[in-house]
Every structure is written in structure tokens, then in C-alpha cells.
Amino acid sequence: MSDETVNAEGTATAAEGAGLPDDRAAASETPSVSPQQSEIPKRHLRKTRVGEVISNKMDKTIVVAVVRRVPHAKFGKIVKRTKKLYAHDEKNQCAIGDLVRVEEIRPLSRLKRWQLVEVLKH
């Protein structure tokens, strides 16, 4: 078996330079495995929320009220739950009442963990 080798499938293949052209000999030795999208590790996606600006009095900071509609734990009625998020607004472009999209980021201060992505409606 000096001229042949047995691969994982159990079939015999010719060794290097044993009657095969260079292209076919090299291709038979190294299996071509191309990484698919699902095999590539992905970074965690950042959370995004849409809410209304309720305060812009601070410098480069806005307060955004995000309203969720969730069923009540015991009675099942849909109730509104509001969360206030402090977001970084680099250009001070938001006004009270604007509908904005904010994105989760690293902590910038004691309360700020979000940044302004876009203003959806003025």
C-alpha cells in the first residue's frame, strides 16, 4: 500500500505523484471545507428600544420613556409598563415629544447605558 492510502470512507486513493496530475493529487489530500454562516461565531446583538423623549434638560443626555404592553400576571388583562431610560445624545438634537430609537451600550455614567440611534419622528 505504498502507492495507495485509505481515506475515512474506506476507499483507496493514490498517493502523491502516483499517476495523478498535481491538481488532483493536492485536492485529494486536503478536504475543502468552507465555513458556513451558522459556524461563524457571532457577537451578541445590542438591544434596541423605541420610546418618547420626556426630558432633554441635561447636556448630551435625554430621558426616554419606553412603554411595554404586557398581560397582568393574575388576571390576564393587558396593562402598560413604562421604563425610563437615560440615553446619550451627542448633538443635543432631540426635543421633548420626539419618537426615538435607542441602543444599549457600555455604561457612560451612573445611569446612562443607552445611546441615541435615530430620531423617528419630530
Side-chain angles (χ1 to χ4, degrees), residues 45-114:
L45 296 177
R46 293 181 173 171
K47 296 176 189 172
T48 60
R49 301 285 185 261
V50 174
E52 182 180 352
V53 177
I54 57 174
S55 174
N56 64 349
K57 294 185 183 343
M58 294 172 275
D59 186 32
K60 296 185 179 182
T61 303
I62 57 175
V63 182
V64 179
V66 176
V67 178
R68 296 181 301 129
R69 294 167 45 105
V70 296
H72 188 275
K74 183 173 183 180
F75 301 112
K77 179 181 178 180
I78 303 296
V79 293
K80 292 181 181 178
R81 297 284 181 228
T82 303
K83 186 74 174 176
K84 290 197 307 186
L85 307 175
Y86 288 73
H88 185 68
D89 179 11
E90 182 65 34
K91 299 174 186 171
N92 286 323
Q93 62 187 6
C94 292
I96 294 176
D98 287 354
L99 194 66
V100 296
R101 182 182 317 275
V102 293
E103 177 182 53
E104 188 179 40
I105 57 168
R106 64 181 173 83
L108 296 177
S109 68
R110 184 172 70 94
L111 296 174
K112 279 182 12 181
R113 274 98 171 105
W114 299 84

Side-chain angles (χ1 to χ4, degrees), residues 1-16 18 20 24 28-29:
M1 285 190 65
S2 61
D3 293 339
E4 293 181 344
T5 58
V6 178
N7 60 16
E9 291 85 26
T11 58
T13 58
E16 286 185 34
L20 290 177
R24 288 182 56 200
S28 66
E29 291 175 6

